[in-house]
Amino acid sequence: MAMGALDNRVALVTGAASGIGAAIAAAYAEEGARLLLADRDGARLEDSARRCADAGATAVTSPVDVTDSEATRRLVERCVTELGGIDVLVNCAGILTQAPLVEMDPQTWDEMIAVDLRSVFLCCRWAVPHMLEQRWGRVVNIASQLGIKGGESLTHYSAAKAGVIGLTKALAREVAPYGVLVNAIAPGPIETPMVAGITETWKSAKRAELPLGRFGRPEEVAPTAVLLASEPGGNLYVGQVLGPNSGDVMP
Ligand SMILES: NC(=O)c1ccc[n+]([C@@H]2O[C@H](COP(=O)([O-])OP(=O)(O)OC[C@H]3O[C@@H](n4cnc5c(N)ncnc54)[C@H](O)[C@@H]3O)[C@@H](O)[C@H]2O)c1
């Protein structure tokens, strides 16, 4: 059997039931990783796990709300006890809501910060100690290019994603000396259920702005997450923000 880039690695992927998270889970499965897939959508999580199993991978599921401190602590413990450790953490769970700041309900703000930023802190908080102990680990945080450029009616989302980028850089500095590499991916517009509700008028105007002229697909983001988790490909990435974004942002 061909060697996979992630043979013998155990990966925990949040937001694994849909879109980019599901594509990363499938790509990791194809590269030989054993997987714990987490998402609050239990039913779609099972579909995602089946896809990984079809690729020959061990994939167990945990329906979980990633904003819950105790639940994420148990999630990481389950990964360690059932799969034998945690080598790679992919923080991909996220939501998208829209409102101009002057109309935004504080609850909408708080929910966004909880799902898109606090969850990243929590999963890192519980997973990174295990990685430090084994002197090897990879964290891949899914941010967004809107954390760099900002988006109209998306102050909460842009702030959360900018927060993820800041957390990524700070944590990368803390733990790189101990063999734990932390990086972010900041995708541009990707065709997933998250953007399905956006009007076609907005989407075609957006497409026209992109040097590539089209949105990406989840399978086109997943290989970047494989690269960051793999050796030797990911070895020199520390606190970086990689941008599969159709050319929308060129830092
Ligand atoms: N689609 C895009 O254009 C795009 C662009 C840049 C960044 N992103 C980011 O990529 C990530 C994945 O987004 P996607 O486009 O695949 O969206 P998606 O809606 O297809 O997937 C998001 C997943 O996160 C899960 N989730 C949401 N809240 C959760 C919670 N509290 N606990 C557990 N799971 C929860 C959902 O159930 C869903 O399965 C997100 O962080 C998103 O912000 C997406």
Side-chain angles (χ1 to χ4, degrees):
M1 204 170 139
M3 288 283 287
L6 301 178
D7 276 348
N8 301 318
R9 297 292 183 205
V10 176
L12 167 56
V13 182
T14 75
S18 176
I20 297 169
I24 292 173
Y28 278 20
E30 272 155 31
E31 293 298 340
R34 280 172 288 142
L35 292 154
L36 175 52
L37 308 181
D39 200 290
R40 68 178 170 189
D41 185 339
R44 298 185 65 203
L45 200 52
E46 292 310 319
D47 296 339
S48 191
R50 261 191 299 279
R51 211 170 132 199
C52 295
D54 289 346
T58 301
V60 295
T61 57
S62 253
V64 71
D65 178 350
V66 291
T67 67
D68 181 329
S69 169
E70 185 52 24
T72 51
R73 195 187 60 73
R74 283 198 307 266
L75 179 69
V76 169
E77 287 313 314
R78 184 171 173 216
C79 191
V80 172
T81 51
E82 265 183 54
L83 294 176
I86 179 162
D87 302 307
V88 182
L89 167 65
V90 180
N91 285 305
C92 191
I95 54 168
L96 184 70
T97 53
Q98 282 179 284
L101 181 133
V102 293
E103 293 168 18
M104 194 180 291
D105 184 334
Q107 255 178 305
T108 303
W109 172 273
D110 288 345
E111 186 194 19
M112 179 61 72
I113 300 300
V115 180
D116 282 36
L117 179 56
R118 175 181 156 91
S119 69
V120 178
F121 159 72
L122 287 174
C123 292
C124 288
R125 175 63 187 84
W126 309 127
V128 169
H130 294 283
M131 296 175 177
L132 290 173
E133 205 180 316
Q134 69 192 11
R135 289 291 194 270
W136 200 95
R138 299 283 169 93
V139 178
V140 180
N141 294 325
I142 307 303
S144 163
Q145 64 171 10
L146 298 179
I148 300 166
K149 68 183 278 196
E152 203 187 308
S153 294
L154 289 167
T155 51
H156 56 341
Y157 184 80
S158 305
K161 295 301 191 180
V164 169
I165 291 170
L167 180 157
T168 298
K169 293 178 179 177
L171 182 59
R173 289 183 188 278
E174 281 180 27
V175 298
Y178 308 101
V180 181
L181 307 187
V182 184
N183 291 285
I185 300 175
I190 309 296
E191 295 285 4
T192 71
M194 180 175 277
V195 300
I198 299 176
T199 64
E200 196 43 49
T201 318
W202 184 90
K203 283 196 201 170
S204 45
K206 184 71 216 170
R207 269 183 216 111
E209 268 177 32
L210 298 171
L212 204 57
R214 68 171 180 85
F215 287 13
R217 295 187 303 274
E219 315 80 70
E220 295 174 305
V221 177
T224 306
V226 172
L227 172 79
L228 290 173
S230 67
E231 286 187 306
N235 286 2
L236 300 181
Y237 289 97
V238 179
Q240 300 301 305
V241 183
L242 302 192
N245 64 18
S246 306
D248 204 4
V249 167
M250 300 184 191

